[in-house]
Amino acid sequence: MTQYTQTATPTAQESAMPSNLGRRMKAARPFLISVIAIVGGLVLWQLVSMTTSPLFLPSVSMTWAAALELISDGTLQQSVLASSGRILAGWGAGVVIGAPLGIFMGRFETVRQLLDPYIEFFRFIPPIAFVTLAVIWLGPGELSKIALIFYTTVFIVTLNTIAGVQAVNPLRLRAAASLGAGQWKILSTVILPSTVPFMVTGARIAMGNSFLTVVSAEIVSAREGLGALIWTARNFSRTEWVFVGIIALGILGYLFDRVLRVATRKLLARYL
């Protein structure tokens, strides 16, 4: 009697399972590495804090308790909202003004020659130097802080945009002109799309500098905001509050940059 042996062959779905699992593990690897790095940093922080005074370096548990304390009475939420509003207003105005200004300065030499001395002069003066004048001229309210963040943003965005305009391939400009495109057509169809990556880079850099400026402005003349929280903590010798304010700034900056990156990737994907 002849015996037959039947070999089971895996189905397409079964053979695809290991490859799908491998792709998922590969996609999750950066996240896992980041989690390990954060946990390792917290463990190191906790160990180091056990060897020194809490006034010098509060522990992770003390900082967490301070954060819960500031959240329970609403101080942290109010500080985050106040700083966020000032940053978004000043940064947004700086981008709206700086991007077209950079395009015109980069494209038209006469405009660049007129404005370049002012750009080159003021961009080397840090915003903190104008804090006192901003309070005198605009008052201690929101306008002075927004104006300082605008000052921080507009020069960075303008300079990056100028660099983008000047980096456009001259062959593309000559090709558009040979096809009958006028100055405004070239500006809107050739120069503007080519300059978008430079604008985005300038906006992201300016966002980081806006956090530096808002802290300086809030320390000098604000009752609410993360800068004011850090300064109040200093006056009461609450180092753990200082750490809460610093960590909140870092998380807020990370979220703002992440939202900006996702938004530009979706809205300006064809130009990036």
Side-chain angles (χ1 to χ4, degrees):
M1 180 182 295
T2 305
Q3 294 181 350
Y4 296 94
T5 58
Q6 184 176 4
T7 304
T9 58
T11 63
Q13 183 177 3
E14 291 173 342
S15 60
M17 286 178 63
S19 60
N20 291 336
L21 181 61
R23 282 196 294 268
R24 290 173 183 172
M25 291 181 64
K26 187 176 181 180
R29 184 180 177 184
F31 174 76
L32 293 176
I33 292 175
S34 298
V35 171
I36 292 172
I38 293 172
V39 172
L42 292 175
V43 171
L44 180 62
W45 174 8
Q46 182 70 25
L47 292 175
V48 173
S49 68
M50 294 169 64
T51 64
T52 186
S53 167
L55 182 63
F56 180 80
L57 181 64
S59 65
V60 176
S61 56
M62 283 185 63
T63 305
W64 176 250
L68 294 178
E69 177 187 353
L70 293 172
I71 291 172
S72 63
D73 63 7
T75 301
L76 186 59
Q77 298 93 311
Q78 292 175 0
S79 300
V80 169
L81 289 175
S83 296
S84 299
R86 292 160 185 157
I87 290 171
L88 291 176
W91 173 83
V95 172
V96 169
I97 300 297
L101 181 62
I103 290 176
F104 281 104
M105 288 183 66
R107 178 58 179 163
F108 303 108
E109 187 174 357
T110 303
V111 178
R112 185 166 67 253
Q113 291 173 347
L114 284 172
L115 299 179
D116 192 62
Y118 296 97
I119 297 291
E120 292 300 319
F121 176 79
F122 283 106
R123 76 185 183 93
F124 289 105
I125 302 176
I128 194 172
F130 286 105
V131 169
T132 303
L133 289 177
V135 173
I136 293 173
W137 291 343
L138 302 174
E142 297 299 309
L143 189 57
S144 59
K145 303 169 189 61
I146 293 173
L148 288 170
I149 298 171
F150 168 81
Y151 174 85
T152 300
T153 303
V154 69
F155 294 117
I156 298 174
V157 176
T158 298
L159 289 171
N160 275 271
T161 305
I162 291 173
V165 174
Q166 294 178 341
V168 177
N169 192 336
L171 294 177
R172 297 183 62 190
L173 301 177
R174 287 197 289 269
S178 65
L179 292 174
Q183 285 286 353
W184 293 106
K185 193 71 174 177
I186 293 175
L187 199 65
S188 61
T189 60
V190 179
I191 294 177
L192 181 58
S194 302
T195 312
V196 167
F198 291 83
M199 294 181 191
V200 173
T201 300
R204 291 185 62 195
I205 296 173
M207 176 69 77
N209 285 8
S210 297
F211 277 78
L212 171 65
T213 303
V214 77
V215 171
S216 303
E218 288 174 347
I219 285 176
V220 174
S221 63
R223 293 184 178 179
E224 292 183 347
L226 292 172
L229 172 63
I230 292 171
W231 189 252
T232 302
R234 176 258 185 193
N235 292 335
F236 287 95
S237 299
R238 297 293 300 269
T239 312
E240 63 273 23
W241 286 7
V242 175
F243 272 73
V244 172
I246 292 172
I247 293 171
L249 282 169
I251 294 174
L252 191 63
Y254 174 82
L255 292 176
F256 276 21
D257 185 71
R258 181 64 60 178
V259 170
L260 180 60
R261 289 173 62 184
V262 172
T264 53
R265 194 179 297 122
K266 289 184 177 296
L267 299 176
L268 304 173
R270 58 182 296 185
Y271 305 117
L272 300 175

